[in-house]
Structures are given as structure tokens and as C-alpha cells.
Amino acid sequence: ELALADDDSNILARNSLAICYARLGRLELARKHFQAITRQDPANLMAWYNFGCVCLKQGDVQEAREAFLKCLEINDSHCFSLFRLGQIAEQADMPDRAEEFYNRASQTGEGKDLAPRHLARLSWKKGNMEEARELVHQALVNNPRDAFSLNLMSRIYLESGDDPQIAESLARQSVVLRPDVSSFWLDLADILQAQGKEVQADKARVRAYA
């Protein structure tokens, strides 16, 4: 704020301030500053991307989509925008469109190791369990501490009727890595419930809403 008071055109200071606001949950202020940067510097890819992420958090999906598409105009191989657009399409029940974005992301240097997790989730939603299993295994080879992939693998084990203890172990690893994700605790509760571990399942559900 002091830097901007001294020089209102300081893009670095404005971007840093916007990130601070976003981290503090003051999304409207963050959005305002990211948008100001895009007006001042229309080719600033990170400002467009951060603006899109804030819009997404606010539930403004259309504005977010347009921001991420703008990112691709600036850099057509920006994998994080491709992933965001894939997630938007996935949530809109457009799996083929989502797969297109994820596959494009997989062709980029930064995206090739991250894409299997997203493609695995898509395959799982389509009911293609074996394909999902192969992709999530690849994701875990790339990053053994990927909480989202560990969680998905635990769901695959549970729904495929495989060893429930392995499913439980995977689910527990995911909640240790990301205890802030409520759905992971609920998935752990389902897995414990399936094994007749009622007390532990209840504790997991309580933790989900703590």
C-alpha cells in the first residue's frame, strides 16, 4: 500500500497487494487490483490468471472462463489456464471438452506431470475404472505426496471391491497431507464404514466439519 501510494503505476506492488488480499479472503479488493493491472498491462498473463482464479472463487464462472481464455491468447501453452478451463468444463458436465483441455495441458512442459491426476478423475467419473487406476498410478509416480491422487486411488479401491485396508491407508495419507479438505475426511469415513468401523467413521465425519 505504501509503495502504491508512492507510485500508483507500480504493477509489482499492486500484484503483491492483490495476492495479499486474496490470501486474506478479501476477494473483491483482490479482484479490483488484478483487474487494474490487466487494464494497465493487457499482456500481463499472471494478472489475468489471478483475476480468473478470484472470479472462480466468487462463483463468477463466465468471467473466470473469459480470463483464462485471455491467458491462452497470451500464451497458448499456459498449462494452469488449461487445467482451470478443464475443471470449468468438467463441472459443467462437459467431459469431452474437459478432456480436450487436460490433454492439451499434458503436452506442455509444466503440465505433463500434473495432467494424469485430472484425466484420472475424469475417467473415474465416466466409470472407466481401469483407465482411472492407470492414470492415478502415473500421477502418484510423478508425485507420491499428491493428496488428491491418493484420495482418488482410495475411492477406486473401495468402489472396485479391492482390499479395504489399502483403501483406508490411502485415504489416511490424503487427510494427513491435506487435513483442510473436508471431502477427504468424508471419503475416509465411507471407507471405515464399509469395514464396520463405526466409531472411527463417526470421528472422521465430525473432523470433516471441524
Side-chain angles (χ1 to χ4, degrees):
E1 287 175 342
L2 289 170
L4 282 177
D6 184 59
D7 178 8
D8 189 59
S9 65
N10 187 332
I11 287 178
L12 180 61
R14 190 174 298 281
N15 185 67
S16 297
L17 180 60
I19 290 171
C20 289
Y21 281 139
R23 294 279 177 86
L24 290 168
R26 301 171 71 179
L27 298 180
E28 196 56 44
L29 278 172
R31 177 172 177 157
K32 172 187 171 184
H33 284 289
F34 285 133
Q35 199 164 28
I37 296 170
T38 64
R39 287 195 295 267
Q40 185 179 349
D41 180 9
N44 192 311
L45 186 149
M46 288 314 299
W48 279 109
Y49 178 76
N50 287 330
F51 173 69
C53 290
V54 169
C55 290
L56 208 54
K57 285 183 179 179
Q58 291 183 308
D60 193 345
V61 177
Q62 182 57 36
E63 193 80 16
R65 181 188 292 110
E66 290 174 6
F68 297 134
L69 288 171
K70 181 65 178 179
C71 290
L72 295 184
E73 287 180 21
I74 298 168
N75 177 4
D76 63 3
S77 62
H78 186 242
C79 72
F80 298 106
S81 293
L82 289 166
F83 284 132
R84 291 293 189 179
L85 287 164
Q87 290 169 339
I88 289 171
E90 188 177 338
Q91 289 166 9
D93 198 24
M94 301 169 64
D96 292 340
R97 184 69 170 147
E99 187 173 12
E100 178 187 330
F101 283 121
Y102 295 151
N103 280 326
R104 281 178 62 186
S106 73
Q107 301 304 309
T108 68
E110 285 185 286
K112 64 180 181 181
D113 288 343
L114 299 172
R117 175 219 286 182
H118 297 279
L119 289 165
R121 185 180 62 250
L122 205 57
S123 294
W124 172 65
K125 286 183 175 180
K126 290 179 177 180
N128 300 331
M129 290 297 188
E130 284 309 311
E131 181 178 72
R133 191 191 295 264
E134 289 175 14
L135 285 164
V136 78
H137 176 73
Q138 184 180 339
L140 287 169
V141 168
N142 295 337
N143 179 9
R145 293 176 59 80
D146 180 352
F148 290 90
S149 293
L150 287 164
N151 170 259
L152 179 54
M153 184 65 96
S154 74
R155 296 296 315 181
I156 291 171
Y157 265 85
L158 178 66
E159 293 171 18
S160 299
D162 293 324
D163 189 338
Q165 291 186 334
I166 295 178
E168 180 184 339
S169 174
L170 292 163
R172 287 191 181 281
Q173 289 178 64
S174 72
V175 297
V176 166
L177 290 167
R178 289 296 304 272
D180 57 307
V181 181
S182 297
S183 62
F184 288 1
W185 288 100
L186 294 174
D187 288 340
L188 175 59
D190 288 345
I191 291 167
L192 292 166
Q193 184 88 36
Q195 297 178 76
K197 299 178 179 179
E198 305 285 348
V199 174
Q200 292 183 51
D202 287 343
K203 288 180 179 179
R205 289 192 186 92
V206 168
R207 182 61 180 79
Y209 300 108

